Amino acid sequence: MKKVFITLLMILCVSIPVWADVIPYKVSDIPVGTLGVYQPTTGLRVYVKPDSKSNVLFDKKWSYLTISSTNFVDNLFALLLTKKELAFIYATDIDEDFVQVIYDKKLKSNGWAYKEDDFQFLPWITFYNMYGRKYGLKLLKDSPVAVLNVHSRSDKESQIIGKLNRPKEIRFTTIQGNWALVTALNIDNTVCTGFIQWRGENGELYYFPAIK
């Protein structure tokens, strides 16, 4: 009976699709110096130069139903939610019709992808305004302790009026430079409203939209 159960469990595990979601978890997951994200459709072609006649560095197509079987998922995507058919790639520069993207996060390899319309490139502020307002923010692991402080204004010298304590929810309102105006519900059910530092001086990100 035990062998039959194990065999049945193995069959079920094989038949259930594995969703290869990619979500930033810690600060080092996001390359420093990114300007925002580029949203591909169901494929990506990356050129050496912002010119479609230049050499191709990377050329892949995918289906959201079978993307879990590919071997480039973890190194390519900034964010991938297969069930939502939502994908983004880190962007590091822009040209008139092209966006410089990181197509291999491990090797830090980048190149130029054609921008079919202006909405394919989302600067961080636009991305946070779209998805941070909808889903709220989450604190990335290994963020400095100082970014838990809630300030009265959008600068380090302003008064500290609260502190995030394992927040259940961080509602995002707006961005002012490297600071975000939020209302947070802490684990002890205390609520604090003020400014938190979402981005460091060198461009490192400490908070990310809690897309799910």
Side-chain angles (χ1 to χ4, degrees):
M1 186 67 178
K2 185 177 180 180
K3 290 183 179 180
V4 173
F5 175 76
I6 293 174
T7 303
L8 180 60
L9 183 62
M10 291 175 65
I11 292 172
L12 288 173
C13 289
V14 170
S15 63
I16 296 174
V18 178
W19 302 107
D21 288 346
V22 176
I23 301 172
Y25 175 66
K26 55 185 184 294
V27 174
S28 59
D29 287 339
I30 304 175
V32 176
T34 54
L35 300 181
V37 289
Y38 171 86
Q39 186 171 19
T41 52
T42 54
L44 178 70
R45 178 174 292 176
V46 180
Y47 300 92
V48 173
K49 300 177 181 180
D51 182 350
S52 58
K53 295 181 181 178
S54 64
N55 292 337
V56 175
L57 295 169
F58 181 91
D59 192 6
K60 299 287 185 183
K61 291 187 179 297
W62 58 82
S63 163
Y64 286 103
L65 295 176
T66 60
I67 198 168
S68 60
S69 62
T70 61
N71 59 5
F72 58 83
V73 169
D74 288 335
N75 287 334
L76 175 63
F77 293 104
L79 176 75
L80 173 66
L81 296 176
T82 53
K83 290 183 179 179
K84 287 182 177 291
E85 297 191 1
L86 185 66
F88 292 100
I89 298 166
Y90 292 116
T92 54
D93 201 357
I94 56 174
D95 193 73
E96 185 175 353
D97 295 317
F98 287 81
V99 179
Q100 189 179 57
V101 299
I102 297 175
Y103 64 90
D104 191 316
K105 294 185 295 186
K106 185 176 182 180
L107 299 177
K108 299 180 180 179
S109 303
N110 59 31
W112 295 89
Y114 181 68
K115 185 174 61 171
E116 296 179 10
D117 59 61
D118 290 337
F119 295 102
Q120 273 196 288
F121 169 65
L122 299 178
W124 281 130
I125 291 178
T126 303
F127 180 74
Y128 277 64
N129 281 334
M130 288 178 63
Y131 293 97
R133 285 180 179 174
K134 182 175 181 179
Y135 295 100
L137 302 179
K138 66 173 183 177
L139 177 69
L140 296 177
K141 188 178 179 182
D142 299 331
S143 294
V145 175
V147 305
L148 295 173
N149 293 331
V150 180
H151 289 252
S152 60
R153 299 193 310 275
S154 55
D155 66 77
K156 288 184 178 179
E157 304 306 318
S158 63
Q159 181 183 2
I160 297 174
I161 56 176
K163 192 178 184 70
L164 299 189
N165 177 23
R166 296 166 60 190
K168 298 178 181 178
E169 182 182 11
I170 306 174
R171 294 181 182 177
F172 165 80
T173 302
T174 189
I175 282 178
Q176 293 184 14
N178 291 334
W179 296 79
L181 177 61
V182 301
T183 297
L185 174 64
N186 285 321
I187 193 170
D188 59 2
N189 291 324
T190 58
V191 177
C192 52
T193 297
F195 289 90
I196 56 172
Q197 187 177 2
W198 70 278
R199 182 172 61 185
E201 301 298 330
N202 296 320
E204 60 272 31
L205 303 186
Y206 303 131
Y207 291 87
F208 198 81
I211 303 174
K212 52 183 179 294

